[in-house]
Amino acid sequence: SQQGEEDPQALSIQEGENATMNCSYKTSINNLQWYRQNSGRGLVHLILIRSNEREKHSGRLRVTLDTSKKSSSLLITASRAADTASYFCATANTGGFKTIFGAGTRLFVKA
Amino acid sequence: DSGVTQTPKHLITATGQRVTLRCSPRSGDLSVYWYQQSLDQGLQFLIQYYNGEERAKGNILERFSAQQFPDLHSELNLSSLELGDSALYFCASSADLYSYNEQFFGPGTRLTVL
């Protein structure tokens, strides 16, 4: 089964609203990453949060990590139509190999 | 532009055939990763090479093989193709050995098996 599981599977919001996506994982990790994928294109790295960090910001992105619950959330504030994409969390085991991606959250931002 | 290139962009072939997908990593990156993305299986890690040597294997079928050459480009060979092999195949690269650091993805090769 997959290491990372995102929810919701799909999210539809209006431009200007905030979007929150969640990710759960199963084993100990070194860090957790979030990637974005525009339809049928390559993934783009958004942000990395280390296992000893609880929160990280990058522009309109805010990521939290709760290692006790083995979960992370990605918040996109003041969303734009250009944020429409699929968002994936990715983890690797503590050995540092075999990155596992979750199934992704499909975000649709209506203009 | 991630700096990772993949060729070809699209590939259409028949069942039973063999194809080769090619990837050039970002300049200076020593690790290359291959992923398969299909609608039913999501994004699956296949294999990682680091500086020419295989470092980690994921859900790679025995019909698939890969290698990384001295110039660090990599090829993924898919043989005895089946309809279910139709998918997007991504290559990614990173600077070091560990896949938990940032990976840079190529644009992908869309394989269609008819």
Side-chain angles (χ1 to χ4, degrees), chain A residues 78-97:
Chain A
S79 63
R80 305 166 182 167
D83 295 328
T84 294
S86 291
Y87 293 82
F88 297 87
C89 68
T91 57
N93 60 25
T94 49
F97 301 103

Side-chain angles (χ1 to χ4, degrees), chain A residues 42-61:
Chain A
L43 279 72
V44 175
H45 185 265
L46 294 176
I47 196 165
L48 180 154
I49 185 165
R50 303 196 185 282
S51 60
N52 61 355
E53 297 176 312
R54 292 296 167 259
E55 188 171 311
K56 199 160 183 181
H57 297 255
S58 176
R60 294 184 295 113
L61 306 180

Side-chain angles (χ1 to χ4, degrees), chain B residues 3-4 9-10 15 20 24 27 35 40 43-44 47 51 53 67 70 75 78 82 90 95-96 100-101 107 114:
Chain B
V4 178
K9 286 187 179 178
H10 301 276
T15 55
T20 297
S24 293
S27 176
Y35 293 90
D40 57 342
L43 192 64
Q44 300 283 322
I47 197 164
N51 204 20
E53 293 190 10
Q67 54 184 329
E75 292 181 355
L78 316 176
E82 302 175 359
F90 289 105
D96 61 19
Y100 52 60
N101 291 322
L114 301 175

Side-chain angles (χ1 to χ4, degrees), chain A residues 2-39:
Chain A
Q2 299 225 47
Q3 168 81 311
E5 297 289 345
E6 290 95 338
D7 82 272
Q9 289 187 335
L11 183 59
S12 181
I13 60 174
Q14 292 290 140
E15 213 169 26
E17 293 180 341
N18 295 341
T20 300
M21 290 157 263
N22 303 296
C23 167
S24 60
Y25 58 92
K26 294 189 172 77
T27 62
S28 297
I29 59 172
N30 271 297
N31 61 36
L32 184 143
Q33 302 178 61
W34 285 91
Y35 287 82
R36 183 187 75 213
Q37 183 182 31
N38 288 73
S39 181

